[in-house]
Amino acid sequence: MRQKSTSKTSILKSIGPGFLLAGAAIGVSHLVQATRAGADYGFILIWVLIIACISKYPFLEFGPRFAAGTGNHLITGYKKLGKFPYWIYIFITLGSMFIIQAAVTIVTAGLAERLFNFGWSPFLWSGIILISCIALLLIGKYPGLDKSMKVIVTLLTLATLAAVIMAFGAGTVTDAVTTEPPSLWTTASLGFIIAFMGWMPIPLDASVWHSIWTKEKAVQNKQKISVKGAFADFNVGYLSAAFIGLLFFLLGVLVMFGSGTSFSNNSVEFSSQLVELYGKTLGEWSKPLISVAAFITMLSTVLTVTDAYPRVISELKNPEKDNPEDKKDKWKIYRLSIFIIPVLSLSILYFLSGSFTILVDFAAGLSFLSAPFLAWFNYRLVTGKQMPEKHRPGRNYKIFSLICLALLVIFNFVYLYYTFLA
């Protein structure tokens, strides 16, 4: 009995990085992409959501598995694999981080203006939000980030679940089923589907973030996280993110599909439309509550992204070194990066603040095209010599992972064919 109790306690102490993953995931991909997918295409895209979540599962899970099994994060693993995996990851990160930071911030800015109605511009709100996140991360560091995510993810899950249940109760399912969806075989539709899959429920490079957070959690706990504990933690976060993505998709289908309205490209107008979705199903009383919940959710995404990229940048130079002197150098790089990345992201917003969905689609498309590379690197790491044999995935899980990898590759070729050859 004592051993079982100790095991449960160990697993509970491991819980945390999974909520950070969920906090990072439940943002633009859910509030924007999933809701747009349901609102514009109806139930026909539900298979895209399901395949995206299933096909990314093993490769995102390999991040915390590798960190728990080896004590290292994935960047260390990539560097030991060779120059190609290491530099491909750097290219993907540098190619997407400023746009992703800008995209999640501008949506949060729109929700902030919708909530507080100060008459401020999205750019001004973006600056205030980023400054607040930087201050919180530099003061509260990892523990503050860890605790806040658990409350935020739970709050939005309950609110969205209630809205979907009431939407089903309003008898809108028949209209959603009988309405003719638009064609999926157009350039615009295929572009959106790729963007939808690219960020649903989260890009594959988040596996690196999760591995870093898992290692940081072990440092905070002052004990190594077991692979079993890391697996349980990952499932809590990933399944929560996938489930909430499904809820937002259903909300878009049940409330907006076939209504003749579509989402605006302006972040403030989009935020108002999103809150109206809830108001139509839960009632007018729900709008202030949903405004707060949606704002906090997006703020959590900005917070985790603002933390993740500087952590990644701080580890790129010497990921395998972990002595006190190296930790000081990494902390200096983190503090410098936490200012530079938001400043460059604000520059993007200054010129493209009126077209935030274009930013989202571009960054999501890049994430989609890079997914097979990162998936293969992660698979090689957890099945190779760096991973202790007892922690490597079993035969059936390997087969499942290779099937998922094949799906990612096939979808990439389909996208490239219809984009450049069809």
Side-chain angles (χ1 to χ4, degrees):
M1 289 292 290
R2 185 175 296 177
Q3 285 184 339
K4 286 185 178 180
S5 177
T6 303
S7 176
K8 288 180 180 179
T9 302
S10 177
I11 290 175
L12 287 174
K13 288 184 72 175
S14 303
I15 300 296
F19 277 96
L20 298 187
L21 181 75
I26 304 165
V28 174
S29 61
H30 291 58
L31 272 73
V32 179
Q33 300 293 75
T35 315
R36 279 173 63 195
D40 293 346
Y41 294 91
F43 283 113
I44 196 170
L45 286 191
I46 195 167
W47 64 271
V48 174
L49 185 151
I50 293 171
I51 290 176
C53 292
I54 291 175
S55 62
K56 290 180 183 177
Y57 176 90
F59 310 113
L60 284 160
E61 186 270 324
F62 290 159
R65 177 192 288 261
F66 184 80
T70 66
N72 296 317
H73 48 64
L74 288 177
I75 300 176
T76 302
Y78 293 159
K79 195 165 187 180
K80 290 181 179 179
L81 270 182
K83 290 184 178 180
F84 181 72
Y86 179 64
W87 284 104
I88 281 290
Y89 175 69
I90 291 176
F91 172 76
I92 293 168
T93 300
L94 295 179
S96 62
M97 67 180 180
F98 301 111
I99 296 175
I100 290 176
Q101 179 82 72
V104 298
T105 304
I106 196 66
V107 176
T108 311
L111 287 166
E113 177 57 30
R114 174 64 173 78
L115 177 63
F116 298 107
N117 198 27
F118 287 168
W120 295 351
S121 69
F123 182 79
L124 177 59
W125 270 117
S126 296
I128 292 170
I129 289 164
L130 286 172
I131 291 170
S132 301
C133 288
I134 291 169
L136 182 59
L137 288 168
L138 292 178
I139 296 170
K141 300 181 182 178
Y142 179 86
L145 185 66
D146 185 16
K147 292 175 183 176
S148 61
M149 285 307 107
K150 296 174 183 176
V151 176
I152 290 168
V153 172
T154 302
L155 175 64
L156 188 75
T157 302
L158 294 175
T160 309
L161 180 60
V164 171
I165 291 172
M166 291 189 177
F168 271 108
T172 56
V173 179
T174 303
D175 293 337
V177 172
T178 56
T179 302
E180 184 72 21
S183 173
L184 300 182
W185 304 108
T186 65
T187 302
S189 293
L190 285 170
F192 175 77
I193 290 171
I194 295 307
F196 181 39
M197 293 187 73
W199 270 9
M200 181 51 62
I202 194 168
L204 270 187
D205 45 330
S207 61
V208 177
W209 310 352
H210 200 169
S211 69
I212 293 174
W213 286 326
T214 300
K215 184 178 178 180
E216 184 65 22
K217 183 71 173 180
V219 172
Q220 295 297 323
N221 287 347
K222 296 181 179 178
Q223 68 178 52
K224 186 178 179 181
I225 291 178
S226 68
V227 172
K228 186 177 181 180
F231 184 71
D233 170 67
F234 170 78
N235 280 328
V236 168
Y238 190 79
L239 295 178
S240 296
F243 178 65
I244 295 175
L246 177 62
L247 292 180
F248 275 109
F249 174 83
L250 292 174
L251 199 60
V253 174
L254 297 171
V255 180
M256 284 195 74
F257 181 59
S259 66
T261 59
S262 58
F263 282 115
S264 170
N265 282 340
N266 179 278
S267 61
V268 177
E269 291 177 12
F270 173 88
S271 302
S272 296
Q273 289 176 309
L274 183 68
V275 173
E276 289 296 326
L277 280 180
Y278 285 93
K280 287 180 181 178
T281 51
L282 296 178
E284 289 295 315
W285 64 270
S286 69
K287 288 183 180 180
L289 175 64
I290 297 305
S291 295
V292 172
F295 171 69
I296 292 174
T297 301
M298 280 307 307
L299 186 62
S300 76
T301 304
V302 177
L303 192 61
T304 49
V305 169
T306 305
D307 175 75
Y309 283 121
R311 284 188 188 275
V312 167
I313 297 299
S314 70
E315 295 289 344
L316 288 178
K317 185 180 179 182
N318 295 307
E320 68 279 0
K321 294 184 178 180
D322 215 17
N323 59 55
E325 193 61 34
D326 288 312
K327 286 182 178 179
K328 286 183 181 179
D329 289 339
K330 289 178 181 180
W331 176 240
K332 289 178 183 177
I333 295 172
Y334 175 89
R335 285 186 297 178
L336 184 63
S337 300
I338 208 172
F339 288 102
I340 292 175
I341 296 171
V343 167
L344 292 177
S345 299
L346 281 173
S347 300
I348 292 174
L349 291 179
Y350 182 79
F351 294 105
L352 296 172
S353 60
S355 305
F356 85 99
T357 54
I358 296 174
L359 289 176
V360 173
D361 290 349
F362 176 84
L366 180 61
S367 297
F368 181 85
L369 292 173
S370 64
F373 292 98
L374 295 178
W376 176 240
F377 300 156
N378 290 0
Y379 179 83
R380 285 183 61 194
L381 285 178
V382 298
T383 59
K385 293 180 180 179
Q386 291 188 52
M387 191 74 168
E389 191 171 350
K390 64 179 179 179
H391 297 318
R392 296 173 193 171
R395 179 176 175 273
N396 291 337
Y397 197 19
K398 286 181 182 178
I399 294 172
F400 168 66
S401 301
L402 291 173
I403 292 172
C404 291
L405 177 60
L407 286 173
L408 292 175
V409 172
I410 290 169
F411 282 121
N412 264 263
F413 276 117
V414 171
Y415 171 65
L416 292 173
Y417 173 78
Y418 275 94
T419 301
F420 299 106
L421 298 175

